[in-house]
Amino acid sequence: MKEIGLPDNTSFELSSDENPAENDETRLIHTIAAAEANGDPCSESNLDSMYFSGKALDKYACLCWVICSVVCDVELAKRLLYKLKEAFARFENNQQQFPLVYDSVWGGVVSSGMYQTGNLLQDFGNGCYNDHHFHYGYFIHTAALIAKMDQRLNNGDEWYQQNKDYINTLIRDAANADPSDKYFPFSRCFDWFHGHSWAKGLFESWDSKDQESTSEDAYFSYSLKLWGNISCNPQLERLASLMLGIQRRVFRSYFLMEQSNKNQPANFIKNKVTGILFENKVDHTTYFGNDIRFIQGIHMIPVSQISCYIRSQEFVTEEWERYFSEDHLTGDDGWKGILYSNLSIIDASRAWDFFARPDFQTKWLDQGATRSWYLAICAAQM
């Protein structure tokens, strides 16, 4: 069998224009990005969770990339990049609140939080191998962007050389491609038979393994592709492209249900997403609540360059019309921004208008995203 339509041309860039001209859109993005760059990635990532720490780091990495590649403010990019590197150093030096430890029983790198607190579910069960591709994908993506920006800003490769072993270790934990590796198992998360990852670690479950976020699964693969590119590792880059190609086909067949879907029960397709897909059932819910915005939105976050590849326009249209066609249905918190950034796949102008509105409120942003990033995503598709 040959997987076709691989994302071979997907890269770091938000658009095909590597030297965007200044216009009203970029001027607005520049103004907002300059304000958001005053944030403190060091304090925002100083958390007891690898997941939320990774999201915080990635938030500023994406913001810095917008400043570097979209509005092309070199000095501002350098200042924010310096702060981002300082924040990342805490993790590379393993000095976060719960340092990582190597588990010789199952062969992996896990948060020590479980051992220090006695809580198996500390940090979503990271100590028992839950969600490793979700957690570590944000760190890998952050590192890939830092290394790319160093390259673009002519900073040399000192940071890359210092941090590459750390990132490669995270990759070996979650997506090891070497069956002969004595320290990590082959492909811990991605299931090559089912065509997607499983988020469930060592916990027993009546309905076996499961996953509730296709988008974070794809984001991990996308992060591997970018790291493979910046680290001159074509094998990793090709592996990630194959994973993404398989994920797109499988997600569209079983998780992200267009009306024409023939694989899930006819009376279930109206839900548009499966919610949590187990090996033995599907359940239109999440582990953290039954709000429809949570259930649909967890399959959107984080919205990035790979979202358009994974999520078909037909699916996004059907889902939007089913649940979110009126503004009040999108809520009044960070999920609102997630939903509107996803709308950019089918209606970038309307999504842009939402994020560009003068009365925009920061409470509409997820803690892992910036307004500048969402505007840049919209602008790239207008």
Side-chain angles (χ1 to χ4, degrees), residues 106-110 126 129-138 140 166-178 181 183-192 196-198 217 220-221 224 236 239 243:
W106 294 96
V109 175
V110 300
N126 180 295
Y129 295 95
N130 275 8
D131 299 350
H132 274 206
H133 57 315
F134 297 163
H135 295 200
Y136 299 159
Y138 287 106
I140 298 164
Y166 175 71
I167 295 302
N168 288 335
T169 298
L170 297 183
I171 293 173
R172 287 170 69 193
D173 172 86
N176 185 22
D178 181 4
D181 193 321
Y183 298 97
F184 296 91
F186 174 78
S187 192
R188 185 192 309 278
C189 297
F190 191 81
D191 184 328
W192 289 92
H196 60 84
S197 300
W198 297 111
D217 189 5
F220 174 73
S221 302
L224 295 181
L236 178 60
L239 175 72
M243 290 168 65

Side-chain angles (χ1 to χ4, degrees), residues 122-373:
Q122 173 69 35
D123 198 5
F124 303 100
N126 180 295
C128 289
Y129 295 95
N130 275 8
D131 299 350
H132 274 206
H133 57 315
F134 297 163
H135 295 200
Y136 299 159
Y138 287 106
F139 286 88
I140 298 164
H141 188 260
T142 296
L145 284 182
I146 292 175
K148 182 67 173 180
M149 287 185 282
D150 269 348
Q151 187 181 85
R152 181 161 293 190
L153 297 170
N154 299 313
N155 290 340
D157 69 346
E158 180 181 355
W159 187 90
Y160 166 77
Q161 294 297 339
Q162 181 178 337
N163 289 269
K164 64 180 181 178
D165 289 344
Y166 175 71
I167 295 302
N168 288 335
T169 298
L170 297 183
I171 293 173
R172 287 170 69 193
D173 172 86
N176 185 22
D178 181 4
S180 66
D181 193 321
K182 297 179 180 178
Y183 298 97
F184 296 91
F186 174 78
S187 192
R188 185 192 309 278
C189 297
F190 191 81
D191 184 328
W192 289 92
F193 178 80
H194 287 90
H196 60 84
S197 300
W198 297 111
K200 183 80 75 177
L202 302 178
F203 295 94
E204 64 180 0
S205 170
W206 284 107
D207 295 297
S208 197
K209 291 185 177 294
D210 68 78
Q211 179 161 262
E212 71 174 351
S213 179
T214 51
S215 46
E216 287 180 308
D217 189 5
Y219 198 62
F220 174 73
S221 302
Y222 175 56
S223 300
L224 295 181
K225 181 175 172 63
L226 297 187
W227 183 253
N229 177 276
I230 201 66
S231 63
C232 299
N233 184 344
Q235 180 181 6
L236 178 60
E237 195 172 4
R238 290 194 298 269
L239 175 72
S241 288
L242 179 58
M243 290 168 65
L244 284 165
I246 295 171
Q247 285 168 319
R248 180 175 70 162
R249 178 166 55 85
V250 169
F251 291 162
R252 292 182 179 191
S253 297
Y254 299 104
F255 288 84
L256 312 177
M257 301 174 291
E258 296 179 14
Q259 193 58 42
S260 59
N261 186 286
K262 303 298 183 183
N263 299 306
Q264 297 291 5
N267 62 351
F268 190 77
I269 292 171
K270 66 179 184 296
N271 293 324
K272 309 321 300 174
V273 300
T274 51
I276 307 173
L277 185 143
F278 295 80
E279 286 187 275
N280 292 337
K281 72 176 184 183
V282 288
D283 192 351
H284 191 236
T285 186
T286 73
Y287 280 110
F288 54 93
N290 290 319
D291 188 317
I292 197 65
R293 298 173 309 136
F294 303 169
I295 302 170
Q296 311 303 126
I298 198 62
H299 288 277
M300 304 173 188
I301 187 172
V303 176
S304 72
Q305 296 94 316
I306 205 63
S307 299
C308 291
Y309 176 76
I310 295 294
R311 300 169 65 83
S312 74
Q313 290 194 342
E314 179 62 30
F315 166 76
V316 174
T317 299
E318 290 181 11
E319 182 185 45
W320 184 265
E321 292 177 351
R322 170 82 167 86
Y323 291 114
F324 307 118
S325 58
E326 297 180 26
D327 179 72
H328 70 91
L329 298 173
T330 62
D332 194 36
D333 55 18
W335 289 98
K336 190 179 191 76
I338 293 167
L339 297 174
Y340 270 98
S341 61
N342 170 74
L343 178 64
S344 68
I345 296 174
I346 57 170
D347 193 343
S349 295
R350 181 179 173 188
W352 168 273
D353 290 344
F354 168 75
F355 290 109
R357 55 191 285 186
D359 62 344
F360 186 88
Q361 300 180 50
T362 56
K363 67 179 179 179
W364 295 337
L365 294 172
D366 170 67
Q367 72 269 41
T370 62
R371 187 181 175 196
S372 306
W373 177 252

